[in-house]
Amino acid sequence: MDQELKTTCLHEEHVALGAKMSPFAGFDMPIQYSGIIDEHNAVRKAVGMFDVSHMGEIIIDGPDAQSFVNHIFTNDVTALEPGCILYGMMCYQDGGVVDDLLVYKEFESGYLLVVNAANIDKDFEWIKQQADGYEVEIFNDSDSWGQIALQGPGAEDELVRYFGLEELRELEFYTFYDLEDEDGGRIIVSRTGYTGEDGFEIYADGEIIRDMWEALLEDGVKPCGLGCRDTLRFEAGLPLYGDELSAEISPVMAGFSMFCKFDKPEFIGKDALLKQKTEGVARKLVGIELKDNAIPRAGYPVELEDGTQVGVVTTGYHSITLDKSLCFALVDSTHAALGTPLFVRIRKRVFPGEVVKKRFYKTNYKK
Amino acid sequence: MSKIIEGLLYSESHEWVKVEGGIAVIGVSDFAQSEMGDITYVDLPSEGDSFEAGEEFGALESVKASSELYCPVSGEVVEVNTELEASPEKVNEDAYGAWIIKVRLSDPAELESLMDAAAYAAIAK
């Protein structure tokens, strides 16, 4: 099995830093370096960087690129200007989620879709299958790109120092610049991230990414692993495909229907999602705060006081920033209202809690 | 390299036992804490609970995962280190100082099935 694992352009740096490595989405990835709590706090209070080179990049170009992206994507790219980015989902006809992704509207032409590492092959095949009747070219460009996520309140200063470009401060949330290194290598810098803090994601080929990683490391930016990437996104109320969104968990169930534009003439899954939105769904994703420090984990049952199971935990942690035991759970809609008392079964005991807003942590995006 | 202390007994599930008279003091090995990473919660039993050897008596929770604790010997819990409720990180800082429970041995012969430091060193890696 191990020899089949892919590695990113920064693999040697992780090993040299003594990171704990683990397979993730087919890649041998760093889970932590100094420790999840230390890395998590660095991103909340200062600045940290993540190797996210495993993420997939799929390019869609051609005369029908705009209408095709609008066909497969729940959000609306009609008015998306070059240099701007939208978050949304690709859904099946029944409203289940193929993947959640970012769509970058390129300056020249076409769109760059940034998808989850675990879904690259599935997404690419699915996208191609939807293209009948559209004049588009679809490339899986994932192997050409490395990516660093530079995140935290200190990210802007670090980015400006590294590139020597004050203009980077002007970059707005969910927009990007196209830069070139001295050899003409393309560098995309976007003001995006998956932590709830201000931050940037930088895409370039492996060599540029390695140079940048080393320079940022030398400058004192803390390397952060996938361990704290998950604790950070969780606190910020952001979903992880496979846990909070999946073929079984639609954007409406997960509470992300604001990323589904029902005023578009059509998109795959529109009818099913619109039906869910108007008629209601059987299960909804909620946040639960426990009154104890016991930690709810994915798969643990959510119950009523009388022991009836009404749901299941999808992600849970003792929140590092908020010092509370919190989880996302998929529960019967009749028990999903804010303030509803719910109980989580943790090993042999049951712990009381209540439904709270999923965005546990007040995010600090620069808008 | 994780630390292994001579004179303690060890279980395959990485608990250590220190025998003081008829009482077994129980904690987890340095290897176990380093594998888990930052420990954020210790699920403790209550004084007076009784466990069979090999029975689950609680759990350690790190940020990422929970890891069950198994009682290496049979007996009644006579003392619980409640200090760990507020300071679970003590298990990371000093795994052999941060004992978790003390159990009155009901069958001291069970100690013979535990490993000494040398035998444990062979599996703790």
Side-chain angles (χ1 to χ4, degrees), chain A residues 29-40:
Chain A
M29 294 298 287
I31 301 304
Q32 62 173 68
Y33 306 81
S34 58
I36 293 176
I37 296 175
D38 184 53
E39 294 163 27
H40 179 107

Side-chain angles (χ1 to χ4, degrees), chain A residues 31-81:
Chain A
I31 301 304
Q32 62 173 68
Y33 306 81
S34 58
I36 293 176
I37 296 175
D38 184 53
E39 294 163 27
H40 179 107
N41 288 331
V43 172
R44 286 276 179 260
K45 292 170 189 159
V47 56
M49 59 177 170
F50 301 81
D51 175 15
V52 283
S53 304
H54 58 313
M55 299 293 285
E57 289 83 10
I58 294 172
I59 293 167
I60 297 180
D61 206 347
D64 294 338
Q66 179 181 307
S67 59
F68 179 62
V69 172
N70 253 349
H71 174 56
I72 60 170
F73 189 48
T74 57
N75 213 326
D76 188 357
V77 299
T78 313
L80 190 65
E81 297 284 336

Side-chain angles (χ1 to χ4, degrees), chain B residues 51-100:
Chain B
F51 297 99
E52 296 293 316
E55 194 181 345
E56 190 181 319
F57 74 88
L60 295 181
E61 303 259 17
S62 70
V63 176
K64 274 199 78 62
S66 68
S67 174
E68 283 73 33
L69 294 164
Y70 297 97
C71 206
V73 291
S74 306
E76 184 190 332
V77 177
V78 293
E79 203 178 337
V80 175
N81 188 358
T82 50
E83 197 189 342
L84 298 178
E85 286 173 356
S87 308
E89 69 282 356
K90 288 195 185 302
V91 178
N92 291 118
E93 291 163 4
D94 179 10
Y96 298 106
W99 61 277
I100 298 169

Side-chain angles (χ1 to χ4, degrees), chain A residues 20 37 293 297 317 347 349, chain B residues 34 38 43 61-63 65:
Chain A
K20 263 191 192 158
I37 296 175
N293 283 331
R297 304 283 183 188
Y317 284 109
R347 289 179 291 276
R349 286 189 281 164
Chain B
S34 87
D38 300 320
D43 189 355
E61 303 259 17
S62 70
V63 176

